[in-house]
Amino acid sequence: MAPPSDHRSFTIAEDDDQIRLDRWFKRHMPDVSFNQVSRWARTGQLRLDGKRAAPGDRIAAGQVLLVPPLEAALVQSDRPKKVRPNPLTAEEEAFVRSLVIAEGRDWLALDKPPGLATQGGTKTSNHLDRLLDGLADDDGNRPKLVHRLDKDTSGVLLVAKTARAAAHFAKAFAGRGVMKVYWALVTGVPSIDDGLVDLPLVKQPGTGGEKMHVDEKEGQSAKSRYRLIDRAGNRTAWLELRPLTGRTHQLRAHMAAIGHPIVGDAKYGGAEAFLTGGISRKMHLHARRLRIEAPDGSKIDVSAEPPSHFAESLVALGFDIEAGRALPTPSDPARSPEVRAKRAAAAAKAARRSRKGERRSRGSGGSSGSGTRPRGKR
């Protein structure tokens, strides 16, 4: 049965490539129930490129979907617009737009200010995830979070414009296919200028999962690199930090564990995390740089300047911000001294085994020869 002429036509977007048809309705026509979609399918009213379609069919970008008419209040364009609950004020929309520091076809990079939570919670109604409505496109599709920063941590935060880009970035973050560089002020000065903190972390009992602590037996592997940028005597150090794993509060917990809590981090450093002399009591942890591959294969490399309280502390302590900017790009963790040493040891061990096996082969063979070869040193 051919569909009536009043059917609406939608072209499947790249963002929806290879998802199930019922998932497409859930994304773009949430008012249409699964039962209704099934009824349309049974009666031949759903068509993909002119052919009958079922709710479980996988759809492809570029296909044309024909959908029976609904009430006039529903879809008015090629892609249904989504209604935003609790719309933002004009001031909120202007604020979130001001946070954008870089943009690509599939992504936006924001400079998150300190004090703004990434996501909401029981006692948190003002958060970045809500403000992302202010960055929605003309069809009402809002960007999607792909990672997060602590409320009091500032700096580069990436969001994806499409579900496909979000999946790509999520995989990269989970697989450590991203370079994250932080700046931090810590109390005291580490004895090693360039070090690796390798201490397992686990949620601390009795804190509701809001605090981590080192646990050699039960903790999950957690590794962080640090480099000294500058020091103010023995009072404080300006460090470049790189989390090589992604545990909750990893950098904060690691710095406190080695006796150098981040300035302003009362949760992990207590009273020792604060400096006198007019230094701000806010957290001095800033996501300075993010480098990752975009879905189209291009390279994303975004940096953010530290917030005002951090910059003022640098000046007050006599640090030159250019020293941080001029620091060479961190090496790939796969090329770190520790990894190179382990690989060299493994290669040497494999070579010894190979030579040993070769000597055994030569010693046991030779049935047609004049005898076995001596196993003397070469």
Side-chain angles (χ1 to χ4, degrees):
M1 179 178 68
S5 59
D6 59 353
H7 272 45
R8 288 154 300 151
S9 174
F10 303 97
T11 300
I12 304 302
E14 290 186 5
D15 189 26
D16 298 319
D17 186 47
Q18 296 307 310
I19 67 171
R20 286 167 51 109
L21 181 58
D22 55 353
R23 177 63 179 168
W24 185 93
F25 277 97
K26 188 174 181 180
R27 282 184 183 180
H28 305 296
M29 293 186 179
D31 292 334
V32 178
S33 69
F34 178 81
N35 289 337
Q36 179 64 64
V37 174
S38 298
R39 282 195 292 271
W40 283 340
R42 286 195 304 270
T43 56
Q45 297 184 76
L46 284 184
R47 297 293 177 114
L48 272 172
D49 287 345
K51 299 179 180 180
R52 293 180 62 149
D57 288 348
R58 295 283 175 179
I59 58 180
Q63 284 187 308
V64 176
L65 172 66
L66 294 181
V67 179
L70 291 174
E71 297 297 329
L74 289 180
V75 184
Q76 300 294 322
S77 64
D78 276 355
R79 297 187 70 184
K81 292 187 177 181
K82 300 175 183 178
V83 179
R84 303 182 201 170
N86 303 318
L88 304 181
T89 65
E91 291 77 11
E92 288 174 322
E93 288 196 10
F95 170 69
V96 73
R97 288 171 186 164
S98 73
L99 301 182
V100 178
I101 53 176
E103 181 176 2
R105 186 182 71 178
D106 301 309
W107 56 272
L108 291 164
L110 312 180
D111 184 3
K112 189 189 86 64
L116 177 65
T118 303
Q119 293 176 291
T122 305
K123 299 181 180 179
T124 305
S125 57
N126 183 36
H127 49 86
L128 181 61
D129 192 27
R130 171 178 173 268
L131 294 176
L132 291 181
D133 282 343
L135 299 176
D137 63 21
D138 292 339
D139 290 326
N141 300 307
R142 63 199 301 278
K144 301 163 181 61
L145 292 170
V146 295
H147 68 123
R148 55 170 292 175
L149 295 175
D150 292 342
K151 178 179 179 180
D152 295 318
T153 300
S154 57
V156 182
L157 189 142
L158 190 71
V159 295
K161 290 183 178 180
T162 66
R164 170 172 283 190
H168 168 86
F169 290 128
K171 183 177 180 180
F173 276 97
R176 314 305 174 209
V178 57
M179 183 191 78
K180 294 179 283 184
V181 175
Y182 290 73
W183 281 355
L185 290 183
V186 300
T187 60
V189 181
S191 58
I192 301 174
D193 289 352
D194 188 335
L196 173 70
V197 182
D198 185 1
L199 295 172
L201 296 174
V202 69
K203 292 181 179 180
Q204 184 169 309
T207 62
E210 293 299 320
K211 188 175 181 180
M212 308 293 284
H213 75 120
V214 174
D215 189 324
E216 297 284 356
K217 293 183 178 180
E218 302 296 330
Q220 293 181 302
S221 175
K223 298 180 181 181
S224 305
R225 290 204 68 89
Y226 70 84
R227 286 197 290 180
L228 179 69
I229 301 175
D230 203 352
R231 60 187 291 171
N234 294 322
R235 184 185 185 197
T236 185
W238 177 14
L239 301 180
E240 176 193 84
L241 305 177
R242 286 190 64 204
L244 304 183
T245 51
R247 308 303 173 202
T248 302
H249 298 174
Q250 178 175 311
L251 297 178
R252 298 166 63 185
H254 272 171
M255 290 300 101
I258 64 172
H260 301 287
I262 294 171
V263 173
D265 189 3
K267 174 173 285 189
Y268 287 93
E272 296 180 4
F274 299 97
L275 299 177
T276 57
I279 300 301
S280 173
R281 295 178 66 84
K282 292 182 179 180
M283 179 91 76
H284 287 70
L285 180 61
H286 175 67
R288 163 65 179 171
R289 184 178 177 186
L290 179 70
R291 190 170 67 186
I292 192 172
E293 185 176 288
D296 62 4
S298 62
K299 303 298 181 183
I300 300 171
D301 194 341
V302 185
S303 297
E305 293 300 312
S308 59
H309 78 275
F310 198 126
E312 291 166 3
S313 294
L314 292 177
V315 172
L317 291 165
F319 294 135
D320 181 0
I321 195 169
E322 292 302 326
R325 293 172 179 160
L327 202 64
T329 298
S331 60
D332 189 318
R335 300 178 182 176
S336 67
E338 293 84 358
V339 172
R340 288 200 301 268
K342 288 181 179 179
R343 288 180 176 174
K349 186 175 182 180
R352 289 195 298 271
R353 286 180 175 176
S354 177
R355 289 196 296 270
K356 187 176 180 180
E358 182 182 355
R359 290 196 298 270
R360 286 178 177 173
S361 175
R362 288 173 176 172
S364 60
S367 58
S368 60
S370 58
T372 62
R373 182 174 180 175
R375 295 186 179 181
K377 294 183 179 180
R378 298 181 182 178

